[in-house]
Amino acid sequence: MHIPVLLDETMHWLRPRPGGVYVDATLGGGGHAEAILERILPGGRLIGIDRDDAAIDAAARRLQRFGEAVVIVRDNFAAIKEVLARQDLQQVDGILFDLGASSMQFAEAERGFSFQESGPLDMRMDRRQSTTAADLVNRLPERDLADLIWRYGEERWSRRVARGIVAARPLETTEELAGLVARSIPRRAWPRGLHPATRSFQALRIAVNDELLNLEKALPNAAEVLREAGRLCAITFHSLEDRTIKHTFLRLSRGCTCPPGTSACTCGGQRWLRVLTKKPVTPSPEEIERNPRARSAKLRAAERIATTE
Ligand SMILES: C[S@@+](CC[C@H](N)C(=O)[O-])C[C@H]1O[C@@H](n2cnc3c(N)ncnc32)[C@H](O)[C@@H]1O
């Protein structure tokens, strides 16, 4: 089962209250959702969103005992506003994003997320989507593949990795790809404590699922549907995601950025949020010991302000 990361810290910042309406935008196995539901009953409601059918099934089983207090929706969180409108909800009290892939997705070899086991090069969170990791690995021109691995994996050996992939195509399994990436990076440059394919796998996963773009789309919509003093919490697992959260929170807390003295605003910037966590909240050593997946987790929180502020 997926062990929810930074659970106490998330409950502290999200502050779920009895009778409130909350959104878990990344339902996964339903761990965070369960903790929210335990705090919002009686009278509260939770809308859980995930784009992965397997996550939806697992969460539905785990949350069955909450009955009608929980509504589970298979969709992309970028469409959060539409999802809520379909439930006749214009405003909610809190929204949680626990980003990245779940340990259930990593654990199932045939999903293709893991370099630890052999599976097809898939990596789709939403299996209705057509593009898989195999399509990118086997079809992209070498230069585009190198750019992708550099941009989304911050892999400094991206050019060599892309060259290695192109020379060995077609690749079919995660095992083949992991071995090839490892052979493309000089052993002396292998990152300490990390499999040498970690960054390339991360890059492909982000690209297959368009993770950063979906997040950039979702955050302003999430800020908009929060009630005044409602909370927005986001847990990230790598620097690209954390940077996206940090910058978007800042942008949504800054409002108009037109130069001083401009007679009328032309940038359209509006203040939606107040950032609550100056620095990201990180897990305790005890949590990392219990759950090594928490190692790189960072939590940031913001609060919705009145739009007239
Ligand atoms: C880290 S897991 C969440 C785990 C969950 N908090 C728990 O306690 O079990 C992230 C989940 O978000 C889902 N996800 C990622 N991007 C998504 C998106 N754009 N729209 C909807 N779900 C998404 C993934 O399918 C995955 O199940």
Side-chain angles (χ1 to χ4, degrees), residues 2-5 24-33 49-52 55 62 75-78 96 98-105 125 209 211 214-215 237 293:
H2 184 96
I3 311 170
V5 166
D24 184 340
T26 51
L27 193 57
H32 285 101
I49 306 174
D50 206 293
R51 67 207 292 211
D52 179 351
R62 185 162 179 173
D75 212 324
N76 190 321
F77 59 51
L96 170 64
D98 174 19
L99 297 159
S102 68
S103 36
M104 294 182 302
Q105 287 164 335
M125 289 177 175
N209 297 293
E211 291 181 30
N214 281 317
L215 188 56
F237 290 87
R293 204 185 86 84

Side-chain angles (χ1 to χ4, degrees), residues 248-265:
T248 314
F249 274 14
L250 270 181
R251 181 166 58 77
L252 295 172
S253 64
R254 211 181 280 133
C256 172
T257 51
C258 291
T262 314
S263 55
C265 168

Side-chain angles (χ1 to χ4, degrees), residues 2-33:
H2 184 96
I3 311 170
V5 166
L6 287 166
L7 185 61
D8 293 343
E9 295 84 346
T10 304
M11 293 306 117
H12 170 79
W13 289 105
L14 189 64
R15 229 180 29 183
R17 296 268 195 261
V21 180
Y22 291 82
V23 179
D24 184 340
T26 51
L27 193 57
H32 285 101

Side-chain angles (χ1 to χ4, degrees), residues 197-220:
T198 306
R199 295 198 172 105
S200 301
F201 269 63
Q202 173 188 302
L204 284 165
R205 198 201 76 213
I206 292 178
V208 167
N209 297 293
D210 228 342
E211 291 181 30
L212 298 177
L213 200 71
N214 281 317
L215 188 56
E216 279 166 19
K217 276 193 205 156
L219 291 172

Side-chain angles (χ1 to χ4, degrees), residues 68-99:
E68 291 182 356
V70 51
V71 176
I72 297 181
V73 181
R74 183 175 182 197
D75 212 324
N76 190 321
F77 59 51
I80 185 167
K81 261 214 264 191
E82 293 77 6
V83 169
L84 294 179
R86 286 201 297 273
Q87 302 299 323
D88 272 334
L89 288 168
Q90 270 75 48
Q91 286 194 314
V92 297
D93 298 286
I95 304 174
L96 170 64
F97 291 87
D98 174 19
L99 297 159

